[in-house]
Amino acid sequence: MTTARFPDGFLWGGATAANQVEGAYDRGGKGLSIQDVMPHGIAGAPTEEPTPDNLKLTGIDFYHRYAEDIALFAEMGFTVFRFSIAWSRIFPNGDEETPNEEGLAFYDRVLDELEKHGIEPLVTISHYETPLHLATAYDGWRSRELIGFYERYCRTLFERYGTRVRYWLTFNEINSILHAPLLSGGIRTPPEQLAEQDLYQAIHHELVASATVTKLAHALMPQAKVGCMIIAIPTYPLTPDPADVLAALDADHANLAFGDVHCRGAYPGYFLRTLREKGVELEITDADREVLRNTVDFVSFSYYMSVCETADPARRAAGRGNIMGGVPNPTLPASEWGWQIDPTGLRIILNQYWDRWQKPLFIVENGLGATDRLVEVDGRTTVVDDYRIAYLNDHLRAAAEAIEDGVELLGYTSWGCIDLVSASTAQMSKRYGFIYVDRHDDGSGTLARYRKKSFDWYRELIAANGATLS
Ligand code: BGP
């Protein structure tokens, strides 16, 4: 096997989100976010107020332990760290005129720490954590007013951190709103009561908001690079029947539409057809059309799995997937949580996106959620996570192949570089990290951190700029 080659300056690191790590949900003037009333992840209904069984309220206490955690990332050699800013720390209700200074100061401290270790920040502006008030009072992104609130929030971030942060992502996994309107769009109306007209109008508002702040970022921070962030989910036809190939294309289009708007600045024809067929008439102003032309500088995405599609309703057995689901692929193994493992799909999606958009790409989430067991090895408390090493190795090998294919790839941040609370199930036991955190589903644990075997593996890999991949 040839040695994997990554370009000089390739960014290596890991990714987290505020609501899954910070805890301190009511400290430092923070307001409530939708996550604070979602104790069961995306499956369960939201509660009226925070409940003690919600692990995200305390997370892994990154709010107090960020310096220790960033030092561990530095020990692995990270050159980039992706994290999100909790909107409700900066604007507790979301619709205030002035920001909360204590919230801003917290991220100053995080950035200080990253700077100290020479780690480039990659900031997600909105990662499934809309301020709760915007959800309850406005029904989230259904309301056009959210565009203005989001713009004010972004202006605050750009003015405060603009000289320190180069890479910005506007909305985490923006296409997930199709399947998880509350998580992704802060929409309190239950999905079964949500009219498609309102769902697609919310999508339009988010896309306009993203383009609006991309324009603002470019005006305020000439050196800034603004990216979109989408769930990458290659869709294969279940059989070679052309009807299945077409079904796969349709399913792919539903996700590609977001990237098309972000990268091309207008709605593609197939998307307009979908709207016509659904009887949806979007309210799009001339100003909206104009601002949408502000396209992103790069495309970032999460990649966990591929899915299959078929036109045959009898075979459309629902698969289990990360927000998106799909028909299971009979050729692939799956994780303990039923997510199908497909490294080749990563190479396919990298090529598809590059061919389609010709924008630099950034893998900002990828990893294996698994049950880990702490053991003693040579006097060190650790996890022998060979399964995680194999998963990451195979996906990075696929990324290296895509680079050989000519794809421009900026970097790789593995998801949940430190164990954190799962987004879909709100469990602690679904672990992704190189660093084990002693916390359990029942809330018990010391929160102590332990280096897993994958910690050493990743450190060596980064030091060799990927050349140690097998
Ligand atoms: C993505 C989210 C993340 C993250 C990841 C893993 O959809 O952007 O926030 O959690 O999936 O999912 P889970 O935590 O459900 O295993």
Side-chain angles (χ1 to χ4, degrees):
M1 195 174 281
T2 54
T3 308
R5 291 183 305 177
F6 290 82
D8 288 345
F10 186 82
L11 293 166
W12 292 100
T16 63
N19 70 86
Q20 293 168 267
V21 294
E22 284 180 6
Y25 80 103
D26 59 352
R27 306 293 289 276
K30 179 181 170 297
L32 292 178
S33 92
I34 52 166
Q35 292 289 347
D36 300 326
V37 295
M38 292 178 75
H40 309 298
I42 48 178
T47 51
E48 284 308 312
E49 26 189 74
T51 49
D53 59 341
N54 186 347
L55 294 182
K56 282 167 281 182
L57 303 183
T58 37
I60 57 161
D61 197 30
F62 182 81
Y63 187 74
H64 297 107
R65 296 169 194 242
Y66 61 93
E68 176 195 338
D69 292 340
I70 291 169
L72 286 166
F73 302 155
E75 196 181 317
M76 277 185 278
F78 280 22
T79 49
V80 63
F81 174 49
R82 173 181 176 227
F83 63 99
S84 74
I85 291 182
W87 189 345
S88 59
R89 279 201 193 284
I90 311 301
F91 287 96
N93 284 325
D95 58 359
E96 298 90 339
E97 297 278 330
T98 46
N100 168 37
E101 175 53 35
E102 243 185 299
L104 287 166
F106 169 64
Y107 296 104
D108 276 333
R109 297 197 291 277
V110 171
L111 290 172
D112 287 346
E113 224 44 50
L114 292 173
E115 239 160 64
K116 194 164 108 190
H117 295 288
I119 299 175
E120 178 103 42
L122 167 59
V123 170
T124 316
I125 297 168
S126 178
H127 192 129
Y128 294 161
E129 44 212 4
T130 307
L132 183 59
H133 173 70
L134 296 184
T136 46
Y138 299 86
D139 215 10
W141 282 94
R142 270 187 64 192
S143 165
R144 187 172 272 276
E145 282 187 85
L146 270 270
I147 301 173
F149 302 144
Y150 180 78
E151 188 183 357
R152 185 185 298 151
Y153 164 51
C154 289
R155 180 182 286 280
T156 304
L157 302 186
F158 297 162
E159 287 176 349
R160 178 78 167 219
Y161 310 124
T163 55
R164 317 178 75 184
V165 177
R166 193 149 56 115
Y167 293 102
W168 299 88
L169 306 179
T170 52
F171 290 99
N172 182 61
E173 296 187 333
I174 188 166
N175 47 332
S176 63
I177 191 172
L178 292 168
H179 302 267
L182 172 60
L183 180 84
S184 186
I187 299 173
R188 279 289 272 213
T189 301
E192 59 284 3
Q193 290 165 27
L194 181 62
E196 292 206 290
Q197 173 70 38
D198 295 330
L199 174 65
Y200 280 91
Q201 191 64 44
I203 290 171
H204 176 67
H205 294 153
E206 283 201 39
L207 289 167
V208 168
S210 179
T212 302
V213 304
T214 300
K215 181 176 177 195
L216 182 68
H218 289 151
L220 294 178
M221 310 175 290
Q223 81 296 353
K225 301 279 179 219
V226 183
C228 56
M229 197 310 203
I230 43 192
I231 301 185
I233 191 147
T235 314
Y236 308 142
L238 188 61
T239 74
D241 180 341
D244 278 4
V245 178
L246 196 57
L249 178 68
D250 281 347
D252 230 10
H253 269 163
N255 294 312
L256 289 170
F258 292 81
D260 280 350
V261 178
H262 281 303
C263 295
R264 296 173 171 161
Y267 286 108
Y270 63 82
F271 183 78
L272 297 175
R273 175 179 184 165
T274 303
L275 296 184
R276 280 197 305 275
E277 289 180 353
K278 288 179 182 294
V280 170
E281 281 184 39
L282 287 188
E283 181 207 300
I284 307 180
T285 66
D286 289 344
D288 290 350
R289 280 185 221 286
E290 190 55 39
V291 84
L292 282 178
R293 294 203 194 128
N294 292 278
T295 54
V296 292
D297 302 306
F298 68 99
V299 173
S300 81
F301 63 88
S302 60
Y303 177 75
Y304 294 95
M305 71 187 69
S306 57
V307 292
C308 289
E309 255 317 324
T310 174
D312 177 359
R315 304 181 73 175
R316 271 199 106 268
R320 287 172 57 209
N322 173 27
I323 300 169
M324 295 292 189
V327 179
N329 186 327
T331 71
L332 295 176
S335 77
E336 285 172 73
W337 272 263
W339 293 17
Q340 289 200 300
I341 300 173
D342 178 17
T344 306
L346 179 57
R347 180 173 174 187
I348 292 169
I349 206 88
L350 282 162
N351 272 279
Q352 184 191 31
Y353 285 3
W354 176 248
D355 291 348
R356 193 176 182 99
W357 298 316
Q358 295 281 297
K359 301 258 187 196
L361 303 175
F362 206 139
I363 304 166
V364 297
E365 281 189 36
N366 173 242
L368 179 69
T371 308
D372 286 339
R373 203 163 51 87
L374 268 187
V375 291
E376 294 294 317
V377 178
D378 299 334
R380 165 172 147 174
T381 308
T382 186
V383 175
V384 184
D385 53 347
D386 291 317
Y387 39 91
R388 182 169 294 109
I389 293 171
Y391 179 102
L392 295 172
N393 180 85
D394 295 353
H395 284 77
L396 280 163
R397 171 56 75 173
E401 294 298 336
I403 292 169
E404 289 295 334
D405 294 333
V407 170
E408 188 180 339
L409 185 60
L410 297 172
Y412 176 88
T413 56
S414 111
W415 175 252
C417 46
I418 180 165
D419 291 348
L420 41 66
V421 185
S422 146
S424 58
T425 62
Q427 290 169 297
M428 214 33 236
S429 52
K430 189 178 188 190
R431 298 174 182 275
Y432 286 87
F434 302 112
I435 300 161
Y436 182 95
V437 177
D438 183 35
R439 186 158 202 231
H440 308 284
D441 289 347
D442 62 3
S444 66
T446 62
L447 290 172
R449 274 65 167 154
Y450 299 96
R451 295 165 186 80
K452 302 183 192 175
K453 185 175 177 186
S454 56
F455 183 101
D456 298 329
W457 173 83
Y458 202 43
R459 188 185 56 220
E460 282 160 28
L461 184 81
I462 295 174
N465 199 29
T468 50
L469 285 177
S470 58

